[in-house]
């Protein structure tokens, strides 16, 4: 029995959902509100207070890349990693690269869009929101991004990092997918591209022609509708509007 904890719009949960969909694995979908992540019951499962969390026959797993690799091992039908060591190493490279890039994506998301509803809260509710973040370093980061937005010191490096990630994918795409056949690497990258497109941070087609072809290709897979489209943020239209309004400021302050 598999149970996946996630909230609507969670990028890392979508990575795992893509693997579950691609491998046709049945599971219980535990869609929870963000506020539940600070609930003591959930913190017993995931002390970091993040998603996804997977429970398989009573065993608890956290961290999306760990879960993706576990699922490919535990359910070998329709494998999503090459059999040879070099191919697996290249998959691991992409999983690590995207794990390392998650901070950049979170910073951009908060600075461009997520800060606005938090900033609108009364000060005591805003402080309660900050206090609910379990990791002190992350708590301070969120405070900086909410209070300062695109002016926060962390933003420039994040935008540069997201551009570099897309450029690395552009260089790597010499076949239909990152490693030739569709793999965990493609499943991990897909929700990142979905979020960057939503935020208006996708490379132009002139800058990344192979990346754009890959993006069109992965969107035709049945797993995309299940794990990305249906799992998009509920306020996706609002995020898109905020992102459009932020483009001039991004262009003037940060050379892309």
């Amino acid at each position: 029995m598999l149970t996946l904890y996630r909230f609507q719009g969670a990028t890392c949960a979508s990575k795992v959902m893509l693997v579950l969909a691609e491998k046709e694995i049945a599971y219980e979908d535990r869609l929870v509100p963000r506020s539940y992540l600070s609930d003591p019951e959930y913190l017993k499962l995931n002390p970091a207070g993040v998603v996804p969390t997977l429970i398989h026959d009573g065993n608890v797993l956290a961290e999306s890349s760990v879960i993706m690799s576990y699922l490919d091992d535990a359910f070998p039908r329709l494998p999503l990693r090459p059999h040879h060591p070099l191919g697996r190493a290249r998959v691991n490279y992409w999983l690590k690269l995207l794990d390392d890039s998650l901070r950049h994506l979170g910073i951009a998301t908060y600075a461009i869009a997520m800060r606005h509803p938090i900033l609108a809260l009364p000060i005591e509710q805003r402080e309660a929101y900050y206090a609910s973040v379990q990791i002190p370093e992350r708590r301070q980061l969120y405070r900086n991004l909410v209070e300062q937005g695109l002016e926060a010191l962390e933003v420039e490096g994040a935008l540069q990092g997201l551009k570099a990630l897309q450029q690395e994918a552009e260089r790597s795409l010499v076949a239909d997918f990152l490693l030739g056949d569709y793999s965990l690497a493609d499943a991990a990258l897909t929700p990142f591209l979905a979020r960057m497109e939503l935020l208006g941070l996708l490379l132009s087609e002139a800058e990344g022609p192979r990346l754009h072809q890959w993006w069109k290709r992965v969107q035709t897979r049945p797993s995309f509708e299940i794990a990305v489209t249906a799992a998009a943020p509920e306020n996706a239209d609002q995020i898109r509007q905020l992102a459009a309004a932020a483009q001039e400021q991004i262009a003037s302050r940060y050379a892309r």
Side-chain angles (χ1 to χ4, degrees), residues 52-169:
T53 298
L54 183 77
I55 302 177
H56 184 202
D57 293 338
N59 299 299
V60 181
L61 295 99
E63 298 298 331
S64 58
S65 292
V66 172
I67 295 171
M68 294 168 77
S69 297
Y70 172 79
L71 289 171
D72 204 43
D73 287 331
F75 298 87
R77 179 176 173 271
L78 303 173
L80 294 176
R81 286 178 297 179
H83 292 297
H84 52 89
L86 182 58
R88 286 183 172 243
R90 287 173 174 160
V91 167
N92 290 338
Y93 167 80
W94 274 101
L95 294 182
K96 183 180 187 306
L97 180 60
L98 287 156
D99 284 343
D100 292 344
S101 300
L102 182 61
R103 176 181 169 88
H104 300 325
L105 193 66
I107 288 171
T109 301
Y110 264 80
I112 293 172
M114 278 191 67
R115 68 183 293 256
H116 294 282
I118 301 168
L119 202 58
L121 294 172
I123 186 65
E124 60 274 11
Q125 291 183 32
R126 201 186 313 164
E127 290 298 326
Y129 171 79
Y130 297 141
S132 72
V133 179
Q134 298 300 306
I135 300 173
E137 179 187 1
R138 187 177 296 163
R139 186 183 310 132
Q140 184 59 54
L141 173 63
Y142 288 1
R143 182 186 293 274
N144 293 348
L145 294 170
V146 170
E147 304 292 337
Q148 301 172 40
L150 290 168
E151 302 297 319
L153 293 176
E154 298 87 353
V155 172
E156 182 174 9
L159 296 181
Q160 291 176 348
L162 293 176
K163 182 177 181 179
L165 172 65
Q166 294 178 78
Q167 290 172 331
E168 177 70 6

Side-chain angles (χ1 to χ4, degrees), residues 192-251:
F192 273 70
L193 261 288
R195 178 60 58 83
M196 283 188 273
E197 182 179 61
L198 188 61
L199 295 173
L201 300 177
L202 200 61
L203 290 182
S204 69
E205 193 160 2
E207 294 173 299
R210 289 192 291 264
L211 182 64
H212 273 260
Q213 287 301 312
W214 173 89
W215 181 229
K216 292 174 185 175
R217 196 172 293 120
V218 296
Q219 289 181 79
T220 67
R221 300 179 75 86
S223 61
F224 188 91
E225 172 63 30
I226 297 168
V228 181
T229 303
E234 293 174 341
N235 61 336
D237 289 341
Q238 181 184 25
I239 292 174
R240 193 171 286 107
Q241 291 171 4
L242 291 168
Q247 292 309 304
E248 184 176 347
Q249 185 179 356
I250 292 172

